[in-house]
Amino acid sequence: MKAVRQDRRPMAGTASKMAAALALAACICAMPSLAYSQAANAPSEKIWNELKTDVFEDRTIQSDTGLIRIEAPKRAQDAALVPVDIFIDPAKFPGGIKSLTLIVDVNPSPVAATFQFGENSGVTHLSTRLRVDDYSYLRAIAETANGELHMAQTYVKASGGCSAPAVKNQDEANRTMGQMKLRQFAEQDSQTGKGRELQLMIRHPNNSGLQKDPLTQYFIPPHFIHKLSVSQDDRPILSMEGGISISEDPNFRFDYTPDGNGEIRVEAVDTDGKVFRDQWPLEAAGL
Amino acid sequence: MVRGMAFDTSRRQVVKGFACLGIGATLPLCCGGTWIQAVAAESFTLTEIVDGVHVFTGANELMNEANHGAICNLGIVIGDDAVAVIDSGGSIVEAGAFLAAIRGITDKPIRYLVNTHMHPDHIFGNAVFRDAGATLIGHRNLPRALAARGEFYLRSYRNQIGATLMKGVEIIAPTMLITDRQELDLGGRKIELRAWKPAHTDNDLTVFDPATQTLFAGDLVFLEHLPTLDGSLLGWLGQMDELAAIKAAHVVPGHGTAPASWPQALQPQRHYFEALARDLRKAIEDGTPLAEAVGTAASSARSDWQLFDEYNERNATAAYAELEWE
């Protein structure tokens, strides 16, 4: 488990423009859901019904088709760190899926992240961690190669109390920002059909911002990784855009199908335009 | 002015605050211009544990409407000229009763309110002491932590303890910030404030009264009530020896029996943290995912603590994410 850091080129110009656009977009979407959160038990569904046309226009979204499954704890233990697992049934997706959108209805900016998968990447299971502000459905919507949308959802009760969706150790998060770690797990036994697994960990406060500072009434600016790509040599395995509700120190664990012995390469860009890159040789036998 | 150095039970003095408020009695509190009707069904008791040091012991419960949010320990230190208050409580009702109890003991001005950290049970009563003229004091990281969490706290606690008890609660940041150590002069008596590195939270502050060797540890020390982790497990474990080195005779923990012997009071939580770290390190090494590992971590310590089921998985979740980076 080596963590080799190299070549971080700031790309301030374009990325800060993107960040500004993103912050603006985020503030706009923040308004309706903040309003909803005023009512303690405002149904997540109501938000979703208005949100889905914004995100998917009038396309048909099929539910409970068994092609996709999502799992999360019934009650969030830590609002800043809610583990979520998404399973894609490879038997029902012969062409694989093109993309996967993760949504947390009640969050100030509900689209948590959108993942794209490389051709023949073999990803059938993805787990990550989310910030969840309040009682909410977590939704995973997969787009198939032929453009169908399939959705799975699970309801998470908010953690409540003093567990806030905020960075726990802000100075440490700032100090270590950009460090990466990759763990490689060997194939499980053939009975489960699980392929090799990677766990990618990136140090970053990944602050969603959007919280209104009660002391100043200003919104705290967002600062998070909004672009991520994982490839084997130049072959894309997985990429992500968005990322606003991904937890501090973004963490992604997923299976994949390796092709040859090429190295694993990662590039991440945050909303300040900082670029973080790292690479690791493919381990012959992982954990 | 301070005579008894050691903890002396025979000279305990008890002052009740809630007691003077019958059911339906009106507590005159001016908060944002509104008068708050305080209906206190139970008594708020301040106990003098040593000369000039009075303590309220909170219930080992979650904050709720029935307990008025009064779940953490609070205290005061009285000097010749002024009073320092340590934490303000979990509601305006509790803080009002606390203020009334203080006024039953002394007329000296309340010069300082020290917030030991950001959590609502310790700070939701701040408005009462601001209005009483106190200067608010906190760790240098406290304003930043409240900026990021304040809005969430106000919303999530409205759900948890109800709008009535949330009435008048404001998020108020300290104006006097502590970066390392600082003395406060109360007249003939100086108390020592100390800011810690991330442990329970990233804004933990302790108060030490050298005259009586009393340590107000805030939530850096828990007894009976399972410790809660909202900062850094490694930071907490790493500062345990430094905490133990404080020349105190006894401690007022943030939660649990007060006062307690020092440094023996650190032992139960050290044992818990070590079990938690040990179990999680093994899970991480084995490749067990977070969601699975947190269900069983530290389960050997379950019978040692109250509120274990309420907080252990949350602690384990935060600790797993931290220990993964070792």
Side-chain angles (χ1 to χ4, degrees), chain B residues 272-320:
Chain B
Y272 168 67
F273 292 146
E274 285 170 354
L276 188 63
R278 186 175 58 242
D279 290 354
L280 290 173
R281 281 178 175 136
K282 173 146 197 334
I284 291 163
E285 192 187 328
D286 292 349
T288 308
L290 182 151
E292 197 179 317
V294 298
T296 53
S299 54
S300 60
R302 189 170 184 277
S303 59
D304 300 342
W305 297 95
Q306 296 174 34
L307 301 175
F308 187 92
D309 292 341
E310 282 78 2
Y311 290 117
N312 182 60
E313 277 197 36
R314 176 179 140 199
N315 292 343
T317 300
Y320 183 106

Side-chain angles (χ1 to χ4, degrees), chain A residues 48-81:
Chain A
W48 166 243
N49 284 331
E50 293 174 19
L51 176 69
K52 67 183 174 191
T53 47
D54 294 342
V55 182
F56 297 102
E57 295 166 346
D58 52 3
R59 296 169 68 184
T60 303
I61 301 172
Q62 304 179 58
S63 288
D64 307 317
T65 54
L67 281 78
I68 183 166
R69 194 157 55 83
I70 184 167
E71 284 179 10
K74 287 198 164 45
R75 179 175 284 280
Q77 297 295 333
D78 183 336
L81 280 165

Side-chain angles (χ1 to χ4, degrees), chain A residues 52-235:
Chain A
K52 67 183 174 191
T53 47
D54 294 342
V55 182
F56 297 102
E57 295 166 346
D58 52 3
R59 296 169 68 184
T60 303
I61 301 172
Q62 304 179 58
S63 288
D64 307 317
T65 54
L67 281 78
I68 183 166
R69 194 157 55 83
I70 184 167
E71 284 179 10
K74 287 198 164 45
R75 179 175 284 280
Q77 297 295 333
D78 183 336
L81 280 165
V82 179
V84 57
D85 285 89
I86 298 110
F87 300 90
I88 300 150
D89 186 341
K92 292 177 177 163
F93 273 114
I97 66 168
K98 277 204 312 214
S99 72
L100 179 71
T101 302
L102 267 183
I103 288 180
V104 185
D105 291 346
V106 305
N107 277 7
S109 187
V111 180
T114 299
F115 297 89
Q116 312 271 344
F117 302 99
E119 218 175 313
N120 303 318
S121 61
V123 178
T124 64
H125 172 212
L126 169 69
S127 57
T128 187
R129 300 163 194 173
L130 298 172
R131 288 199 168 96
V132 179
D133 283 30
D134 210 334
Y135 286 68
S136 183
Y137 279 106
L138 310 186
R139 302 173 193 276
I141 296 116
E143 180 170 6
T144 62
N146 62 8
E148 287 174 12
L149 297 175
H150 294 260
M151 179 170 80
Q153 65 200 47
T154 185
Y155 194 69
V156 174
K157 289 183 181 170
S159 57
C162 58
S163 155
V167 179
K168 287 186 176 53
N169 188 346
Q170 184 75 55
D171 291 337
E172 174 81 356
N174 294 343
R175 194 178 62 74
T176 57
M177 189 167 66
Q179 290 178 16
M180 292 191 204
K181 195 164 162 177
L182 186 81
R183 299 187 72 188
Q184 302 187 37
F185 301 94
E187 276 146 294
Q188 307 289 313
D189 60 3
S190 56
Q191 288 173 349
T192 66
K194 266 174 97 178
R196 293 176 67 113
E197 270 190 295
L198 297 178
Q199 184 181 10
L200 172 64
M201 302 160 58
I202 307 171
R203 283 283 211 194
H204 202 284
N206 231 56
N207 222 324
S208 63
L210 304 183
Q211 304 92 355
K212 196 199 236 171
D213 177 351
L215 311 171
T216 63
Q217 299 299 314
Y218 289 117
F219 281 96
I220 294 169
H223 182 206
F224 57 92
I225 287 173
H226 71 127
K227 274 179 181 294
L228 171 73
S229 65
V230 183
S231 59
Q232 189 189 9
D233 283 339
D234 293 326
R235 185 179 77 105

Side-chain angles (χ1 to χ4, degrees), chain B residues 18 29 44 56 63 68-76 84-99 102 110 112-130 134 136-137 142 169-172:
Chain B
F18 277 141
L29 281 180
F44 182 99
F56 167 77
M63 281 169 71
H68 305 114
I71 63 158
C72 77
N73 297 339
L74 309 171
I76 58 169
V85 173
I86 295 127
D87 284 333
S88 63
S91 67
I92 295 297
V93 171
E94 185 193 6
F98 185 18
L99 178 61
I102 295 168
I110 297 171
Y112 304 108
L113 167 65
V114 181
N115 283 147
T116 60
H117 64 289
M118 66 189 178
H119 284 147
D121 48 332
H122 300 258
I123 63 149
F124 268 6
N126 278 8
V128 166
F129 293 96
R130 175 201 58 193
L136 270 63
I137 304 176
L142 182 57
V169 171
E170 293 174 61
I171 301 294
I172 305 169

